[in-house]
Amino acid sequence: MSERVFMKGAEALAEAVIRSGCRFFYGYPITPQNETPEYFARKLPLVGGLYLQAESEVAAINMVYGTACAGKRVFTSTSSPGFSLMQEGISYIACSNVPVVVANVVRGGPGLGGISPAQSDYFQATKGGGHGDYKVVVIAPSSVQEIVDLVPKAFEIADKYRTVVELLLDGVLGQMMEAVEFNYDIDPNSLPEKPWALTGAKGRKKNTIVSFNLDPEKLEQMNLELKKKYDEIEKNEKMWEEYKLIDAEYIFVAYGTVGRIIKTVVDEEREKGIKVGLFRPITLWPFPYEELRKFVDQAKFFINVEMSLGQMLEDTRLSILDRKPTFFYGRTGGVVPTTVEIKEFFEKKMKEVG
Amino acid sequence: MEVKTIYKYPDSLEKKVTHYCPGCHHGIIHKLIAELIDEMNLLEKTIIVWPIGCSVLGYEYFKVDSCVAAHGRAPAMATGIKRANPENFVLSYQGDGDLASIGMAEIVHAAARGEKITVVFINNTNYGMTGGQMAPTTLIGQKTTTSPYGRDPKVSGYPIKVAELLSNLEGAAYIARAAVNKPTRITQAKKFLKKAFNAQLKEIGFSLVEFLSACPVQWHMTPLKALERIENELIPYYPLGEFKVKEGVE
Ligand SMILES: Cc1ncc(C[n+]2csc(CCOP(=O)(O)OP(=O)(O)O)c2C)c(N)n1
């Protein structure tokens, strides 16, 4: 049954997690995502779930790890400095092949940085973060409705591949209020059994979950198994949006909140008769390289806009193999770029390239 | 003639040779845990969280569900397991570097929350696995590879008495310290451990038994000398006994 409600992004995120059949949340407060844990604290006890405030992000992610090992859907959310602390746990979880969904509501960094929205954790999210040869599925919605739609998908991917899925948001998405529709409500008891989970060796052989192998040949084998899984994910799980690209000569590449801002830029430039469009990756890993590459021939140039000093830009350039010029416009430290400044930059580049 | 079994190989232990050094006490302590799992009929509901340290391979020796936590994080991981399935019996097994150094926050908060888990804490006054470095529990004057002139409190502070520290926390239901350097002590240790198990099974709260444990190789001693060191050096600083017994624990 679907219902339309007016909700803040941070709360819609929590509601979507609960409706995805997840009943366990562990976390530690940090701005700008506190409305998410606060929502869980209010709502989870009412549906027989658990909100537990950990003593640190380090502890929180290890509680998440434990509950995932025990075979339950589990979630945590935090913001940049907190996410850095969770990297230890995420590396262990990735190696242990247990499904976990986490959210990083990115704020300006490095260090303590600030509390305003940013996209400067792109490298950390997509290129590692913790130690070792592992990958995390990174999903970046750009509206509150998209958060609502992608959260159950995140849990599905996590369960299907027994892997870590990260929702990469920014403070704008957390604070924005929009009318959203929920058309799902999954009963946690209806989820498939996890025969590998630690539940007590009753009527079966013991289960063991470890993230190490002291024999280098065997550890290499473990890494190759992980790689196989990541190859499968790359093949099956890429998501992206193409906006007015069919005849576009100028192609914006942007994700999350910026993706949304660029749609306005595209619409306004189109009104002037300029053939411009937007390619918006929704999964940042796996990145839709080939899908973006398809537009190389028709494009005069690509223009990347981010709330960082240019991180996704590297993946854009890998996609198009530098066969066309790429330009970059970014604001960082928690500044959100405006349509006016983006248009100004774009029009200047258009004149330069011709 | 009626035959009564008074000593046997525990059913919950795998028939395997362990990797532990000669004279190390992990083996005896594993056996005590296994005997209690058998006697209390816990095999099918037990989950053990192993630490980073010499006992990282402990899961190979028990027929129960197991996992290995990141260094020091076993109490957090055990929390996540127990909260997910409260009907399970959850043990965390940790060394002194693991529990009292990198994992100090996790153990204190698990105890403060009164997590219904049981912790077996192995205090061998050094970091066995990484080659015998100084631990938070290393005694004053004790030589290790990173306190080559003996632990100096002016530089490294004082050894932490974990059992005493945790017994101050309201959430702790049962806290004791034991040793296994003599047969009588082994009997006492098993009694303590049983009470710790019961504190969890009766849902009273957090329980922990600290074991003073021999590490002959890193102490550069024969196994027999190591037993004497426990008696003459460790027990005077780390007294044995029960530090917290909440009502209802037996
Ligand atoms: C984050 C991290 N830091 C350091 C280590 C290296 N390390 C492995 S075992 C260990 C010490 C373990 O000592 P203890 O807990 O006393 O257990 P024991 O080996 O004596 O049984 C250390 C420091 C690690 N594995 N992970």
Side-chain angles (χ1 to χ4, degrees), chain A residues 88, chain B residues 26 52-54 71 95-98 102 124 126-130:
Chain A
E88 174 199 61
Chain B
H26 278 309
I52 304 300
C54 291
H71 199 26
D96 46 71
D98 191 81
I102 191 167
N124 62 7
N126 71 179
Y127 289 22
M129 187 189 219
T130 44

Side-chain angles (χ1 to χ4, degrees), chain A residues 29-336:
Chain A
I30 182 167
T31 308
Q33 59 80 59
N34 289 322
E35 291 90 338
T36 301
E38 285 165 5
Y39 191 91
F40 282 120
R42 287 197 303 276
K43 291 292 169 74
L44 274 174
L46 307 180
V47 292
L50 173 74
Y51 165 85
L52 183 61
Q53 191 163 311
E55 61 271 29
S56 67
E57 287 86 351
V58 175
I61 193 68
N62 283 285
M63 291 173 184
V64 165
Y65 188 9
T67 291
C69 287
K72 304 284 189 191
R73 281 197 166 173
V74 56
F75 179 76
T76 187
S77 74
T78 182
S79 179
S80 308
F83 207 68
S84 290
L85 283 181
M86 290 188 178
Q87 296 308 324
E88 174 199 61
I90 289 173
S91 166
Y92 280 72
I93 291 167
C95 190
S96 299
N97 295 301
V98 294
V100 158
V101 178
V102 297
N104 180 4
V105 183
V106 183
R107 63 189 237 180
L112 189 54
I115 59 169
S116 299
Q119 296 183 319
S120 43
D121 294 357
Y122 182 91
F123 282 151
Q124 185 191 48
T126 59
K127 311 291 178 198
H131 60 285
D133 257 339
Y134 77 96
K135 295 275 189 189
V136 167
V137 176
V138 184
I139 301 179
S142 85
S143 69
V144 181
Q145 183 64 53
E146 208 176 19
I147 296 176
V148 168
D149 295 341
L150 288 174
V151 165
K153 179 89 186 153
F155 278 101
E156 267 169 45
I157 295 175
D159 278 351
K160 181 172 171 198
Y161 299 95
R162 293 170 58 184
T163 199
V164 182
V165 179
E166 175 181 349
L167 295 158
L168 195 72
L169 314 172
D170 61 63
V172 180
L173 281 169
Q175 297 305 314
M176 189 187 299
M177 285 193 84
E178 283 183 302
V180 289
E181 218 168 279
F182 289 92
N183 55 16
Y184 55 88
D185 196 353
I186 301 163
D187 177 357
N189 298 316
S190 72
L191 296 168
E193 293 277 315
K194 293 172 173 167
W196 47 264
L198 307 181
T199 52
K202 190 173 183 152
R204 59 158 168 79
K205 278 195 158 162
K206 68 179 180 185
N207 283 338
T208 306
I209 297 178
V210 302
S211 75
F212 76 108
N213 207 313
L214 298 175
D215 175 341
E217 302 276 345
K218 287 191 182 142
L219 182 56
E220 182 178 50
Q221 205 46 51
M222 264 171 85
N223 274 290
L224 291 173
E225 290 298 319
L226 282 179
K227 168 86 166 81
K228 242 189 253 165
K229 168 162 95 177
Y230 299 140
D231 287 347
E232 272 304 291
I233 294 174
E234 253 183 300
K235 210 166 66 201
N236 304 329
E237 307 299 341
K238 275 187 233 172
M239 290 186 271
W240 70 96
E241 184 193 359
E242 296 175 16
Y243 186 70
K244 302 190 178 173
L245 278 179
I246 294 185
D247 60 344
E249 294 173 348
Y250 307 101
I251 297 179
F252 278 99
V253 187
Y255 72 98
T257 291
V258 184
R260 202 169 163 143
I261 296 170
I262 298 295
K263 279 189 185 166
T264 311
V265 173
V266 167
D267 291 346
E268 290 179 10
E269 293 292 328
R270 281 265 171 192
E271 264 167 38
K272 294 185 212 162
I274 296 165
K275 288 183 179 168
V276 53
L278 163 71
F279 186 91
R280 180 172 70 90
I282 297 171
T283 49
L284 303 181
W285 192 87
F287 191 90
Y289 289 111
E290 295 78 12
E291 291 73 12
L292 175 56
R293 193 170 300 149
K294 284 191 196 122
F295 299 99
V296 168
D297 290 333
Q298 73 186 61
K300 287 191 174 154
F301 65 71
F302 290 80
I303 176 164
N304 232 90
V305 185
E306 294 177 54
M307 276 147 56
S308 80
L309 289 179
Q311 300 192 9
M312 187 173 73
L313 175 64
E314 293 189 2
D315 284 322
T316 301
R317 293 181 61 188
L318 276 176
S319 295
I320 64 164
L321 305 167
D322 275 350
R323 282 167 49 201
K324 289 288 165 68
T326 42
F327 298 111
F328 177 74
Y329 184 78
R331 299 296 302 269
T332 190
V335 183
V336 183

Side-chain angles (χ1 to χ4, degrees), chain B residues 181-197:
Chain B
N181 62 331
K182 290 179 179 177
T184 49
R185 295 257 161 74
I186 296 178
T187 312
Q188 184 191 46
K190 189 168 171 184
K191 276 189 192 136
F192 287 174
L193 204 52
K194 187 167 184 182
K195 286 193 190 178
F197 279 28

